[in-house]
């Protein structure tokens, strides 16, 4: 059973009582937790640590598929989850089941007696404990927020660090200075350990190069010919995904020293990787039933960089697309809508998934109008999808929030597997 038990919900909720009164940018809390657990971070399989603003999840999915095509057993840690917490912890290819996850959470909670720690830090410690006790050949470890002070940044000697494209996001935590944002992402780079970066804007590349040189870390940059070499039929949709697949391919060659993971396995992984809520066409279900005759697509992209990638893909498709959108209040809504200004899709705004600080639909509407788009404000997902379908559009794209994406997948009975 995955993510369905009241016992799992209770085990996760216990960590909420450990919150510190103030949040400090520090690794001290998670390091103390891991020390209490016997330092599981020292007993992990080789780690590929992944930071960046966009493409972390997709790049990790491609790496996992490529490594598994080569016969490797792969652990993966990602966040946030879409429908069930268990999605964050994939053990040797399988999403962790409730019973084992509860046991690791309980052991972690007992070890944290007297410690103040955030929910993410505590559950990251539990995940590392799990990864240390199940054999695998590789752990793909995705940063939650930033890099330098993220709870995952406790790996002293990763096999490889990967930095995906850097852009503006989480401004409340990382600020709006792109150099500082890049510096936080580059904080995962370790002395003498190789680092691979996606094609970056010049200022970000300079920051990464400076940090790599400071700690004498070999620096590799994704080259355009790697993107051109990817098969045409990669599994994830959008030109930007070719870049993510190429970054994963280069990571696999660096990790496997060009011999352990063959080109055949890399191409197979590029063709078979799955990652939900990234230009995902929804199947038959309660949500798609609200829009008979129209395709319903889902994308969790929620910042300007992601919006540019989505708009670029939509521009190449025939027919009419409309957007159904919710966002967190902390996001740059105007920056998200601006890349769509030439496509002129109708926009239908709605409240975000319950339990999150969503932007007000009227505020989202003003942001969309600033970008020159026509907007209808709706009070629910059902109302927004129904109104969008009434336009006669060929496709409806639900976008703007991973939390909205998770709500949609749950309601359409398509949880990630």
């Amino acid at each position: 059973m995955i993510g369905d038990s009241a016992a799992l919900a209770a085990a996760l909720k216990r960590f909420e009582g450990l919150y510190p009164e103030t949040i400090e940018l520090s690794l001290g809390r998670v390091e103390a937790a891991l020390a209490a657990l016997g330092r599981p971070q020292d007993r992990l399989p080789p780690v590929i640590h992944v930071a960046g603003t966009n493409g972390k999840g997709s790049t990790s999915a491609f790496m996992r598929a490529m490594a598994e095509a080569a016969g490797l057993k792969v652990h993966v840690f990602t966040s946030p989850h879409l429908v069930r917490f268990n999605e964050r912890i994939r053990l040797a290819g399988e999403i962790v089941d409730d019973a084992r996850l509860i046991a690791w959470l309980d052991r972690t909670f007992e070890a944290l007696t007297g410690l103040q720690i955030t929910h993410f830090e505590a559950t990251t410690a539990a995940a590392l404990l799990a990864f240390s006790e199940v054999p695998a050949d590789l752990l793909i470890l995705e940063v939650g927020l930033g890099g330098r002070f993220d709870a995952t940044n406790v790996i002293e000697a990763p096999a490889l660090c990967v930095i995906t494209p850097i852009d503006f996001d989480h401004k409340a935590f990382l600020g709006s200075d792109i150099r500082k944002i890049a510096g936080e992402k580059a904080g995962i780079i370790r002395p003498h350990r190789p680092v691979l970066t996606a094609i970056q804007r010049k200022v970000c590349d300079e920051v990464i190069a400076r940090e790599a040189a400071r700690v004498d870390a070999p620096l590799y940059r994704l080259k355009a010919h790697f993107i051109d070499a990817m098969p045409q039929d990669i599994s994830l949709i959008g030109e930007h995904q070719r870049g993510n697949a190429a970054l994963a391919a280069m990571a696999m060659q660096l990790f496997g020293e060009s011999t352990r993971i063959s080109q055949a396995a890399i191409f197979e992984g590029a063709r078979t990787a799955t990652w939900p809520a990234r230009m995902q066409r929804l199947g038959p279900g309660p949500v798609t039933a609200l829009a008979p005759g129209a395709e319903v697509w889902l994308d969790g992209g929620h910042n300007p960089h992601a919006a540019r990638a989505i708009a670029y893909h939509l521009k190449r498709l025939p027919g009419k697309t409309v957007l159904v959108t919710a966002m967190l209040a902390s996001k740059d809504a105007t920056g998200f809508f601006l890349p769509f200004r030439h496509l002129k899709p109708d926009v239908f705004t709605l409240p975000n998934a319950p339990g999150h600080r969503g932007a007000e639909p009227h505020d989202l509407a003003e942001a969309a109008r600033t970008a020159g788009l026509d907007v209808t404000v709706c009070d629910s997902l059902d109302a927004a999808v129904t109104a969008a379908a009434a336009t006669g559009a060929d496709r409806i794209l639900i976008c703007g929030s991973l939390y909205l994406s998770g709500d949609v997948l749950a309601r359409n009975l398509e949880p990630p597997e």
Side-chain angles (χ1 to χ4, degrees), residues 263-294:
Q263 184 181 75
I266 286 172
F267 279 16
E268 181 181 345
R271 293 186 176 107
T272 59
T274 60
W275 191 236
R278 274 70 176 181
M279 290 308 296
Q280 175 184 356
R281 184 174 177 178
L282 298 179
V287 175
T288 54
L290 299 170

Side-chain angles (χ1 to χ4, degrees), residues 48-73:
I48 296 180
H49 200 190
V50 186
T53 304
N54 287 288
K56 295 193 300 292
S58 297
T59 300
S60 296
F62 278 122
M63 287 193 292
R64 173 193 155 216
M66 292 169 182
E68 289 181 342
L72 303 186
K73 291 184 177 180

Side-chain angles (χ1 to χ4, degrees), residues 161-296:
C161 296
V162 176
I163 303 178
T164 68
I166 295 171
D167 211 287
F168 297 101
D169 198 8
H170 301 293
K171 289 186 178 181
F173 297 97
L174 302 180
S176 56
D177 183 330
I178 195 66
R179 286 183 180 274
K180 290 182 179 179
I181 294 171
E184 290 303 307
K185 310 294 186 184
I188 69 166
I189 298 174
R190 286 288 180 267
H192 316 298
R193 307 307 302 164
V195 56
L196 168 65
T197 176
I199 297 172
Q200 307 281 2
R201 61 175 79 191
K202 186 172 184 291
V203 63
C204 297
D205 186 81
E206 290 172 349
V207 171
I208 293 168
R210 189 180 307 115
E211 180 64 16
R214 187 184 71 82
V215 299
D216 195 24
L219 174 62
Y220 300 87
R221 293 178 172 91
L222 176 64
K223 301 300 183 183
H225 69 265
F226 259 79
I227 302 175
D228 295 337
M230 286 297 99
Q232 291 300 312
D233 55 343
I234 67 170
S235 59
L236 302 184
I237 294 173
E239 190 63 24
H240 61 293
Q241 293 291 6
R242 294 182 60 78
N244 293 332
L247 187 66
M250 193 167 175
M252 287 298 95
Q253 289 201 345
L254 290 170
F255 174 76
E257 297 180 350
S258 301
T259 56
R260 191 177 180 194
I261 299 175
S262 68
Q263 184 181 75
I266 286 172
F267 279 16
E268 181 181 345
R271 293 186 176 107
T272 59
T274 60
W275 191 236
R278 274 70 176 181
M279 290 308 296
Q280 175 184 356
R281 184 174 177 178
L282 298 179
V287 175
T288 54
L290 299 170
E295 299 176 358
V296 181

